[in-house]
Amino acid sequence: MKTKQIVGIFDDEAKVVKALKTLKDQKVDIHDIYGPCADHDILKYLTKRTRIPHLAFFYGVMAIVLTFSFVYWVSVIDYPIRYGGKPLFSFPPMVVLMYLMTILTTATLSVFTLLARIKYYPGKAAKIIIPRVLDDQFAMLIQKPADADKVKAVLKESGAMEIREEDVE
Amino acid sequence: MIVNELKIPLVEGNKSYGQISDDLLANVERKPAKWWFAAMAVGTLMLAYGAWAVYQTIAVGLGTWGLTNAVGWGWDIINFVWWIGIGHAGTAFTIFFLVFRQKWAGSINRSAEAMTVFAVMCAGLFPVLHLGRPWLVFFILPYPNSREVWTNFNSPLFWDVLAISTYLLMSITLWYFGMIPDLATIRDRATNKVKKAIYGVLSMGWNGSMRVYSKYETVMKLLGGLAAPLVISVHTIVALDFAVSVLPGWHATILPPYFFVGAIFSGFAMVLTLMILMRKLFNLTEFVTGKHLENIAQVLKYGSLIIGLAYVTELFTAWYSGVNYEIHTFFNARATGTYAVGFWLMFAFNAVFPQFFWFKWARTNLVVLFIISVFINIGMWFERFIIIVSSLSQDFLPSSWTDYSPTLVDIGIYVGTFGLFFCGMLLFVRYIPIIAVNEVKPIARSERKKTQKTE
């Protein structure tokens, strides 16, 4: 669904941060900011913490349990074979396998979770707000509020190069 | 504006974001220089030699190698261990950057990761060929099969398969995900339609949204954190291939940490060699400054100390154990006997020469840095040669002692992996930004804040 947005275009992140500070004080909701790199001064105003690390922990636990069960099943139940008189169930080698499988599974599933969460996939057409947004410019998007003029004034005062209204999805 | 001249910034030249994009994307956006084509031709020739050697190995068999009854592991495993060691630097740099927040690693981790990916690919080739029947390589995978057997989960050789394939997958993931924002930048700046389409597919619709950046950064840090224990485990498991056997010189608890440090050491040396070349060839001296190279040299210095300590400890424990076989391997075969030249070259290149890095003139002199880094690469190869060949060629039974020398096929596979590595790196410097643009931009900005103040 397309909504009316106020788009402020900046050429310097310091100006973006200045505008953000004022807008946050006025309790204006920022839709999103686009820029060439992850800027922590901007990010701290903007984001909620993602819960992907919690999921990753769950993936890790799952990998440990599944690897243990599988190796135990193979070496004790399905195909019990003695190597050099050693016990069928020996734990130390399983530690290595559980260690590696935890890393492999957690990493792979976290990456897929991220892609699903941000809805990115190979070949997706990018929705670029302004052409130079990944080069050296920043764009701030604000859902058009009732007092749009006030927001625009803040953007202007902070040093936006251009302010326009656009229908953005 | 006040400039603090005492603080040396990590990105020189006081560049704006636009300039950084221009500088760092130049290698992708401009036509390659003549030397690039020449180097590519040399790489392809080496690759062709390697392809011939691989064909000989598969069509004729392992008899074409220099292996004997006693020396069952030769150049294949030496080069496998060597390449895996080289491959450790990239992930180490990524961990330095993502987990320890070492800003200087930000300019190096992209190319170090590329090196890792290609080095691990080269390494992976050797054990597969060493099977003798590489087309049956799937036997090592644990899947329900008509042969009704499972793999031996207690064997380090199986752990190796898992560790190295996990490592390769992880390195590729870190490398590729780290460059998605850069690929998107190339896509948006591209004027050529084909280029736009290819980089468009690869960049997954990246549009610079900060909300996405935030999640992406969290996951990248998570991957960095997961890669840290993985780096330690890979060479530890390679070391266990040796350490769990009963051969003198291999059967030692010191091997896993010693191999791990050796891997980081050789990887950093290779990064230093390549970085010195790349920063000159692509005008990146403002992004990979003398300070970066000096930092790598510092790591090498401490790596060298640990490696040297390990060499001496091995000799000491051999003597202290009082076991004749151990004493023979370390003192008669390695330090004074048949393999003395290799042993002392290894000792000098790995433990002695890097000690020059205690001096600032050595750390800041490009020629010295380059020569010592190449020495370390050679020294680390000798280390693997000494470990493998001296223990195998003179084992418990003197009647089966033999000499070892590689054949043209052995050499061909090694040269071929160099071809693969060079071609891979050349394609990398042609199509992907050598330095992570989106990571260097915030670093440049925070460095500017540190060194300059506007009134």
Side-chain angles (χ1 to χ4, degrees):
Chain A
M1 197 188 77
K2 286 195 170 179
T3 47
K4 248 286 179 278
Q5 305 265 2
I6 299 173
V7 182
I9 298 168
F10 297 83
D11 62 351
D12 185 18
E13 66 280 54
K15 293 172 187 164
V16 182
V17 175
K18 197 175 162 200
L20 260 176
K21 262 185 202 156
T22 331
L23 289 174
K24 274 279 156 174
D25 287 345
Q26 297 179 357
K27 301 213 165 46
V28 176
D29 248 4
I30 314 289
H31 176 72
D32 204 345
I33 296 172
Y34 294 85
C37 56
D39 193 296
H40 288 259
D41 292 345
I42 296 176
L43 285 180
K44 75 178 176 213
Y45 283 100
L46 202 59
T47 44
K48 279 188 292 186
R49 280 206 148 155
T50 163
R51 284 161 301 181
I52 294 176
H54 298 246
L55 260 178
F57 179 76
F58 166 74
Y59 296 147
V61 172
M62 187 183 74
I64 291 180
V65 172
L66 286 180
T67 312
F68 178 84
S69 321
F70 175 68
V71 180
Y72 184 85
W73 174 75
V74 165
S75 43
V76 180
I77 298 165
D78 187 53
Y79 200 81
I81 184 168
R82 288 199 184 275
Y83 300 97
K86 287 174 200 147
L88 289 176
F89 170 59
S90 63
F91 190 63
M94 285 164 88
V95 173
V96 180
L97 298 172
M98 292 187 318
Y99 181 96
L100 289 170
M101 285 306 289
T102 307
I103 295 172
L104 178 63
T105 316
T106 313
T108 319
L109 292 182
S110 305
V111 163
F112 283 121
T113 311
L114 170 73
L115 290 180
R117 186 67 188 79
I118 60 182
K119 298 193 187 70
Y120 277 21
Y121 50 87
K124 185 185 177 183
K127 288 177 196 122
I128 296 294
I129 306 296
I130 46 170
R132 279 169 65 185
V133 76
L134 286 163
D135 201 346
D136 60 352
Q137 290 182 350
F138 291 80
M140 185 189 284
L141 267 69
I142 302 154
Q143 191 122 31
K144 197 178 174 187
D147 48 354
D149 290 337
K150 210 171 145 193
V151 171
K152 281 181 186 171
V154 172
L155 293 178
K156 184 107 200 155
E157 205 173 299
S158 320
M161 290 156 53
E162 194 190 327
I163 299 158
R164 59 177 186 233
E165 283 181 25
E166 219 173 282
D167 290 324
V168 185
E169 235 173 292
Chain B
M1 191 166 65
I2 305 162
V3 179
N4 184 345
E5 296 195 344
L6 290 174
K7 282 186 179 159
I8 306 157
L10 284 171
V11 178
E12 288 170 355
N14 202 6
K15 289 171 189 298
S16 70
Y17 280 6
Q19 280 168 310
I20 293 177
S21 307
D22 290 343
D23 286 354
L24 294 185
L25 297 177
N27 66 317
V28 181
E29 289 172 345
R30 263 185 235 143
K31 286 251 180 302
K34 273 190 191 121
W35 66 262
W36 188 87
F37 291 100
M40 200 67 189
V42 174
T44 315
L45 274 179
M46 289 163 93
L47 205 54
Y49 181 22
W52 170 81
V54 169
Y55 171 76
Q56 285 294 317
T57 305
I58 294 174
V60 182
L62 285 189
T64 52
W65 291 6
L67 301 179
T68 58
N69 278 345
V71 186
W73 283 3
W75 266 44
D76 48 330
I77 303 298
I78 296 168
N79 297 331
F80 158 69
V81 179
W82 188 76
W83 274 122
I84 286 279
I86 301 272
H88 269 57
T91 321
F93 269 106
T94 311
I95 296 161
F96 274 19
F97 183 65
L98 291 174
V99 183
F100 300 135
R101 310 202 177 177
Q102 295 284 311
K103 279 182 185 161
W104 66 275
S107 319
I108 301 173
N109 75 340
R110 168 73 49 77
S111 47
E113 271 295 343
M115 222 183 74
T116 294
V117 169
F118 297 120
V120 174
M121 281 178 183
C122 292
L125 198 67
F126 287 102
V128 172
L129 288 174
H130 191 233
L131 291 174
R133 298 181 195 176
W135 53 93
L136 296 180
V137 65
F138 61 89
F139 274 25
I140 195 83
L141 302 175
Y143 67 101
N145 55 62
S146 57
R147 303 185 305 282
E148 295 192 329
V149 287
W150 289 102
T151 48
N152 180 1
F153 289 119
N154 297 341
S155 163
L157 296 176
F158 174 70
W159 306 343
D160 232 5
V161 175
L162 187 61
I164 289 166
S165 39
T166 304
Y167 188 55
L168 182 62
L169 196 68
M170 194 79 173
S171 309
I172 292 176
T173 312
L174 272 170
W175 189 46
Y176 176 57
F177 268 76
M179 70 181 146
I180 288 178
D182 292 357
L183 296 175
T185 310
I186 302 174
R187 173 200 65 202
D188 289 351
R189 286 165 60 110
T191 40
N192 178 333
K193 256 190 188 160
V194 179
K195 206 169 166 183
K196 217 175 180 85
I198 292 173
Y199 285 106
V201 169
L202 290 175
S203 58
M204 297 204 193
W206 190 272
N207 60 3
S209 156
M210 290 289 167
R211 293 197 191 276
V212 171
Y213 266 126
S214 139
K215 292 189 180 67
Y216 163 84
E217 270 212 326
T218 310
V219 171
M220 283 303 281
K221 279 202 187 107
L222 189 74
L223 289 180
L226 285 167
L230 189 63
V231 171
I232 298 169
S233 72
V234 173
H235 229 70
T236 303
I237 290 172
V238 172
L240 287 176
D241 291 347
F242 296 88
V244 298
S245 73
V246 292
L247 277 177
W250 290 10
H251 189 63
T253 44
I254 197 179
L255 243 68
Y258 159 42
F259 265 48
F260 168 64
V261 176
I264 298 287
F265 184 57
S266 65
F268 271 59
M270 188 60 114
V271 168
L272 188 55
T273 314
L274 292 181
M275 253 9 255
I276 291 174
L277 292 176
M278 283 199 274
R279 73 198 277 274
K280 272 269 170 274
L281 289 169
F282 294 98
N283 291 326
L284 298 172
T285 44
E286 283 163 324
F287 297 93
V288 182
T289 60
K291 198 176 174 195
H292 290 88
L293 301 180
E294 209 182 324
N295 282 348
I296 303 178
Q298 297 277 26
V299 176
L300 286 177
K301 179 175 81 188
Y302 288 107
S304 156
L305 280 178
I306 302 176
I307 283 280
L309 180 66
Y311 293 158
V312 178
T313 309
E314 273 196 317
L315 288 172
F316 171 77
T317 32
W319 166 76
Y320 191 65
S321 71
V323 178
N324 286 338
Y325 302 107
E326 290 279 336
I327 291 174
H328 173 81
T329 301
F330 281 100
F331 291 96
N332 298 355
R334 291 188 189 175
T336 59
T338 328
Y339 300 102
V341 175
F343 180 83
W344 290 109
L345 275 180
M346 155 190 113
F347 204 91
F349 284 173
N350 295 342
V352 180
F353 280 113
Q355 298 307 319
F356 278 114
F357 290 151
W358 286 101
F359 306 106
K360 195 167 174 91
W361 62 263
R363 294 197 304 265
T364 45
N365 186 328
L366 283 184
V367 180
V368 175
L369 279 172
F370 188 77
I371 291 174
I372 293 184
S373 72
V374 173
F375 275 2
I376 294 173
N377 288 317
I378 300 170
M380 287 311 288
W381 190 88
F382 272 111
E383 180 191 307
R384 275 75 204 235
F385 179 85
I386 290 296
I387 291 174
I388 291 171
V389 176
S390 77
S391 284
L392 283 171
S393 69
Q394 302 185 5
D395 62 353
F396 298 102
L397 205 61
S399 63
S400 61
W401 285 9
T402 135
D403 282 342
Y404 171 78
S405 59
T407 61
L408 277 180
V409 177
D410 277 315
I411 298 169
I413 297 177
Y414 188 42
V415 172
T417 50
F418 266 108
L420 183 65
F421 185 74
F422 287 151
C423 289
M425 286 305 281
L426 285 167
L427 288 175
F428 161 70
V429 298
R430 171 78 187 89
Y431 293 108
I432 295 165
I434 302 170
I435 290 175
V437 186
N438 71 90
E439 280 164 8
V440 164
K441 279 176 183 169
I443 293 174
R445 180 175 171 240
S446 68
E447 289 290 306
R448 196 156 55 231
K449 262 195 204 163
K450 237 194 272 172
T451 50
Q452 294 175 3
K453 212 174 207 173
T454 39
E455 278 166 299

